[in-house]
Amino acid sequence: FRRVLFRSGGETASLYVRLGWYAVRIATAPGTGEVTHAPRLGEAHPLSGHEAGCAMLAYLSGGDFARYRAWGDARRIRVPRALPDELAAIRERGFARGVSDAEARVAAAFPIRVSGEAVAALAVEAPVLKRDARRAPADWTEIAAHVEALLHAQPALFENPYGHIDPDMIDRK
């Protein structure tokens, strides 16, 4: 993972996988710039609560999205009503943008897909994009494509050992 991210331009990057209705950080490659941070491994966010989760959520089937919304509503997790439009925009752009009203630049996340479904997401954990960016830098798109190629070459690396568990039954408490 770190070798793949060597070309990252010094930004911290993380790999997230889907566990139930959560995006869970399983690997981090800390940046080399002056200001870096080392995000906590195992940190979990509801899919709609982080750009990595949104990158994965955008590639769920319509029925799964309805289940996610019902799951979120039952737990009082805010699932924005405009989220379906944003998920369509993610599919069109090929990446999710972080959300920040205060910042001119935001983080980004790229879906890692197999058979059309996102099983993971590569997140650039730094403000690397303009908030309204329609295109991602080519180097990050290439890195995400390389991680996706690794998935296709070695699918066992991304097997979900909890895939048989109903996503509604997984809670981070």
Side-chain angles (χ1 to χ4, degrees):
F1 179 68
R2 290 178 193 268
R3 284 183 291 167
V4 170
L5 296 175
F6 182 71
R7 300 178 296 164
S8 70
E11 302 300 343
T12 297
S14 297
L15 183 65
Y16 288 79
V17 296
R18 179 178 164 209
L19 180 58
W21 300 119
Y22 294 96
V24 180
R25 185 183 294 117
I26 64 164
T28 297
T32 59
E34 277 185 44
V35 179
T36 64
H37 69 290
R40 197 168 48 92
L41 294 181
E43 186 174 84
H45 303 274
L47 290 176
S48 62
H50 190 275
E51 56 272 7
C54 286
M56 289 183 272
L57 192 56
Y59 290 90
L60 292 181
S61 71
D64 282 345
F65 179 75
R67 282 188 64 200
Y68 174 75
R69 184 181 289 284
W71 173 86
D73 288 347
R75 285 160 182 75
R76 296 188 179 155
I77 293 171
R78 186 178 170 277
V79 179
R81 294 288 166 213
L83 186 59
D85 293 335
E86 176 56 23
L87 298 178
I90 290 168
R91 287 188 298 273
E92 183 179 318
R93 282 191 307 265
F95 64 93
R97 296 183 294 226
V99 178
S100 174
D101 293 331
E103 303 294 327
R105 298 180 78 73
V106 294
F110 301 85
I112 306 301
R113 297 168 296 215
V114 62
S115 300
E117 184 174 331
V119 297
L122 175 65
V124 184
E125 308 252 15
V128 294
L129 295 175
K130 290 184 180 179
R131 188 176 350 156
D132 60 351
R134 305 282 304 147
R135 298 183 72 186
D139 55 343
W140 280 105
T141 303
E142 289 172 20
I143 291 168
H146 187 76
V147 173
E148 202 166 87
L150 286 173
L151 166 70
H152 292 284
Q154 298 180 17
L157 293 176
F158 285 87
E159 279 185 23
N160 182 351
Y162 306 106
H164 64 285
I165 300 174
D166 182 342
D168 293 346
M169 303 304 294
I170 296 174
D171 200 349
R172 66 180 181 179
K173 292 181 181 181

